[in-house]
Amino acid sequence: MNRATLPALVVLGSAGLLLPWAAPVSAAPAAPAATQPVPVLNGDFADPVMRGDGPTTVGIDFWTGLNQRYSPTASGRTDASHAVALQKDGNTLQQRLRGVRAGAKVTVSYEDSPAVSKECTGEQVVNGQPYAVTGSGGPVQEVTTAGDPDRVKGTPGKGRWTGRAYVFTAGENDPMLTFTSRVTDSRTHVTCSPMIARIRAEETPPAVDKTVDKTRLGTSEAYKGNDRESTLHNAAAACNGENACTFRPDTRTSFRYYDRARVVGEAYINCTRNTLEHSRVLSYSERGHDSISQTYSAAGLPLNEVARLPTSGVRAEDEKRLKERPMAAQLALAYENTWQRPWQWFSNDERTVVEKIQPGEVSWVELQPSRERVEGWFVSKKDDYRLHAVIDGPSRAVPDRLLQRTGPMSEAEKQRCAAARPMTTTPVGADAPASSSDKGLLRTPAPTAAGARSVNRSMPLG
């Protein structure tokens, strides 16, 4: 689905499949894409539901890192969003921005405040508190919150919330957004650290590169939460059940197209002086391709059973996979729900064409098959495993193109037409005039004497 073909991956081991940390994009020139929102999961830090006002040190759903969480009331906010204090000593708060592709321009908006903890002294927050924000491939932006000069230890702060923005160009697919505390004073209490709230994001995605060949769909990637998996196997295995995963197509990067033209059947050459007219039957077929199998192949590893989609190109094998592989059914169901038509993993067709070939011309038929490319994610029901895939298959949304063509002969074809027909030699008297005329005469009688030849070569009819 954005996607230049990635270099072959390094083999980590017989069971390993190293995935890239960056996906370079080589998009074909296109009109600038419109800005669109990016899902920031649990961007208000409301889950899991907390009791009391905090601070509480718990894992926050969809975020990585243990941090101090405060209720909206305790953090001095007027909306329903909770706030997170980053603790200190380089502690981080992280989440991957799902669905963002390498090359996208991402704008993250959020709010910050100095700590509201009653453990803070006025000296620790009077000039604000430092932290850093960064996205994969982007610069590290050093930020200091607003100051809170009226604070005294033992009294909670009311929050001095300031709107912020951070802009970066994603250097990898699903870039990691990271907030890092810069409070390193060992005397500072763990709860007295800069606070973050109400995180939102939007992107200007890169143009979709529709020139990528179906046999080089790029490298699939797998994640568990915010961690990139070193293999595709666990994510594929998590989807190895009828309702274990849901495929979520990305309609922004999915498209229909006509493939390159190819000649179907033979070329007919008319070497005669007359127009030739005849009919013939043409048969052709199309197969599917997927980035999962191509990722294994690029790494030189055998394709795991659970990851085998019906794209082998062997009809009997693909029909078997179609029945047995849950991921095939998951993709087909999602595709039909999204585009209201069935998905095809493979197809075949047959046509009868009538050809009329002029003298000295050649006739042939070319096929431009209609295909569809779908990019998306296999997501487990618990939303812990995610497996990115690009699938390319034959389409019937628009018809195939059959181009019936005639044209002049090539030089080689002209030479072939000018060549003499196959003959044998006449070793005796090849250049002599004909010796006689045969007008249907009687059979020559046998000689009367032994060793003698007949004088009369033939007998006239009576």
Side-chain angles (χ1 to χ4, degrees):
M1 156 57 144
N2 68 355
R3 304 171 309 271
T5 303
L6 300 179
L9 307 180
V10 178
V11 178
L12 290 181
S14 60
L17 190 64
L18 179 63
L19 296 176
W21 287 100
V25 172
S26 176
T35 299
Q36 49 199 244
V38 172
V40 178
L41 304 183
N42 197 22
D44 291 332
F45 307 118
D47 297 317
V49 175
M50 67 180 293
R51 296 181 179 180
D53 289 331
T56 58
T57 305
V58 294
I60 303 172
D61 289 356
F62 302 110
W63 293 89
T64 300
L66 292 178
N67 296 274
Q68 301 288 322
R69 186 167 59 140
Y70 291 79
S71 71
T73 300
S75 54
R77 297 194 57 80
T78 58
D79 59 8
S81 60
H82 296 59
V84 169
L86 299 177
Q87 298 195 31
K88 61 176 185 176
D89 297 331
N91 191 59
T92 60
L93 175 70
Q94 296 180 306
Q95 183 181 136
R96 288 194 177 274
L97 300 179
R98 288 157 169 79
V100 175
R101 313 309 292 158
K105 181 180 179 182
V106 183
T107 300
V108 179
S109 60
Y110 64 97
E111 297 179 34
D112 68 12
S113 170
V116 297
S117 171
K118 64 182 180 180
E119 301 295 335
C120 293
T121 65
E123 178 185 3
Q124 291 168 336
V125 295
V126 64
N127 294 318
Q129 293 181 296
Y131 68 94
V133 58
T134 186
S136 301
V140 177
Q141 183 169 295
E142 302 289 345
V143 187
T144 301
T145 69
D148 193 356
D150 301 326
R151 294 283 299 283
V152 292
K153 188 173 182 179
T155 302
K158 300 183 181 298
R160 292 179 176 266
W161 293 99
T162 304
R164 305 286 186 182
Y166 171 66
V167 180
F168 71 101
T169 298
E172 63 175 344
N173 298 330
D174 278 30
M176 185 78 84
L177 175 66
T178 304
F179 295 89
T180 306
S181 173
R182 296 293 198 222
V183 177
T184 57
D185 188 345
S186 61
R187 297 172 298 173
T188 300
H189 192 276
V190 68
T191 62
C192 186
S193 56
M195 303 178 69
I196 304 296
R198 200 177 185 279
I199 302 176
R200 303 289 187 268
E202 61 181 19
E203 67 163 332
T204 302
V208 178
D209 186 0
K210 297 183 179 181
T211 66
V212 174
D213 190 84
K214 61 184 179 294
T215 62
R216 295 176 175 83
L217 295 174
T219 302
S220 289
E221 301 156 327
Y223 299 89
K224 185 176 184 182
N226 293 317
D227 297 327
R228 188 187 295 269
E229 291 278 280
S230 61
T231 75
L232 302 183
H233 179 72
N234 290 338
C239 295
N240 193 29
E242 184 176 354
N243 298 309
C245 283
T246 299
F247 184 77
R248 298 177 182 172
D250 188 342
T251 57
R252 304 171 305 169
T253 52
S254 301
F255 58 91
R256 299 194 306 264
Y257 70 100
Y258 279 110
D259 205 357
R260 293 185 180 92
R262 69 175 187 266
V263 175
V264 179
E266 299 82 8
Y268 279 72
I269 304 170
N270 186 359
C271 292
T272 74
R273 296 183 176 89
N274 302 310
T275 299
L276 298 180
E277 185 171 335
H278 72 112
S279 62
R280 59 167 162 158
V281 177
L282 297 174
S283 299
Y284 55 92
S285 61
E286 288 291 301
R287 55 166 291 194
H289 299 266
D290 74 274
S291 62
I292 297 175
S293 61
Q294 291 174 14
T295 298
Y296 278 88
S297 177
L301 296 175
L303 183 62
N304 283 322
E305 179 70 26
V306 293
R308 293 178 180 177
L309 293 174
T311 58
S312 71
V314 179
R315 187 61 175 266
E317 171 65 18
D318 287 340
E319 288 177 345
K320 178 182 177 183
R321 294 183 184 183
L322 185 59
K323 296 176 181 177
E324 297 178 354
R325 293 274 63 84
M327 290 173 64
Q330 292 158 11
L331 181 137
L333 177 61
Y335 177 88
E336 187 162 355
N337 289 339
T338 302
W339 282 281
Q340 298 299 304
R341 58 178 179 267
W343 171 259
Q344 290 192 118
W345 291 99
F346 41 79
S347 68
N348 62 278
D349 214 336
E350 189 173 270
R351 291 285 186 272
T352 300
V353 298
V354 177
E355 294 179 302
K356 191 171 185 178
I357 314 171
Q358 299 299 325
E361 286 195 339
V362 183
S363 173
W364 71 98
V365 177
E366 294 179 359
L367 167 69
Q368 270 193 289
S370 167
R371 299 187 65 87
E372 295 194 52
R373 186 165 300 175
V374 177
E375 181 173 353
W377 297 87
F378 290 96
V379 182
S380 65
K381 288 298 183 182
K382 295 181 180 180
D383 202 23
D384 48 0
Y385 281 107
R386 306 191 312 282
L387 174 58
H388 177 262
V390 183
I391 296 92
D392 192 298
S395 172
R396 288 296 178 264
V398 293
D400 294 333
R401 286 174 175 164
L402 279 173
L403 292 82
Q404 190 168 343
R405 302 184 62 181
T406 59
M409 298 180 190
S410 68
E411 288 302 318
E413 289 165 341
K414 290 178 181 178
Q415 292 174 14
R416 181 65 258 165
C417 283
R421 62 189 173 88
M423 296 287 288
T424 189
T425 60
T426 305
V428 178
D431 57 349
S435 61
S436 64
S437 175
D438 184 350
K439 294 186 176 181
L441 302 180
L442 295 177
R443 180 167 54 91
T444 302
T448 57
R453 292 177 177 263
S454 175
V455 175
N456 297 318
R457 303 286 296 176
S458 62
M459 294 289 292
L461 293 174

